[in-house]
Amino acid sequence: SSAASDVYKRQLPVFLMASVVFAEVPVPQALIKDSSDRMQQALKDHKQTIEKNPSFVYGLVDDILLPNFDFSKMSKLALGKNWRKASKAQRERFIGEFRLLLVRTYSIAMLEFTDGDIVFLPFRGDLAKKKVKVKMEIARPNGPTIPMALSMYLNKQKKWMVYDVKIDGISLVTNYRSTFATEIRNDGMDKLIENLSTRNQKVKL
């Protein structure tokens, strides 16, 4: 019976209960939760350093959050049909600049959300489809709750990777896609990469 089950669970050692609960968290959600927890802790640990030098956050974001991101796939999606037209050298340069742009975008977001709590919503995805969304909300003490969703896929190495981020309903990848397409149409791929590089150098925290 459920009553007997409850009694049994209460008698389990705490560490066993923790492992049971953890095992029920799907891998994609567990990955994001782990990196989010580590990021929030790092922001607290380095609070004084960040106050003196906000750009210190760039390194934290790069080390903690971005290993879960597939920048090649994100770049391919952001460029759309222009990806096929780009040379190998152009693709590599674009990935580098787009990665840097996302590091800086994320760093600014992390500073804004320092005082917020990240609440993970119940996982609704089907792992068998190898594509899922990890949904969460950022609850801020002095502002509205911001919904956030990370699109993830299972790569050939059997690792779940992020390929898009939606913040408040706006997709990072598709939001850039139309801008990039316009810039390429007007001035070409090399000019877009050059503009990204200039933009990245100007972004200061």
Side-chain angles (χ1 to χ4, degrees), residues 1 12 27 35 39 48 56 64 83 90 95 101 116 118 133 139-140 184 193:
S1 72
L12 275 173
V27 172
S35 59
M39 188 68 204
Q48 290 181 330
F56 185 80
I64 298 171
W83 176 264
Q90 285 174 326
I95 291 169
L101 177 68
I118 297 175
K133 280 188 172 64
R140 297 181 298 166
I184 292 169
I193 296 167

Side-chain angles (χ1 to χ4, degrees), residues 21-37 68 118-125 127 132-137 148 150-152 160-162:
V21 172
F22 183 76
E24 290 171 357
V25 177
V27 172
Q29 192 176 48
L31 272 173
I32 300 305
K33 187 174 187 322
D34 175 62
S35 59
S36 297
D37 289 348
N68 295 322
I118 297 175
V119 179
F120 283 84
L121 302 179
F123 187 81
R124 304 286 186 214
L127 297 176
V132 298
K133 280 188 172 64
V134 175
K135 296 183 179 181
M136 62 198 87
E137 290 179 342
M148 193 169 171
L150 275 65
S151 298
M152 302 182 74
W160 287 95
M161 303 291 288
V162 176

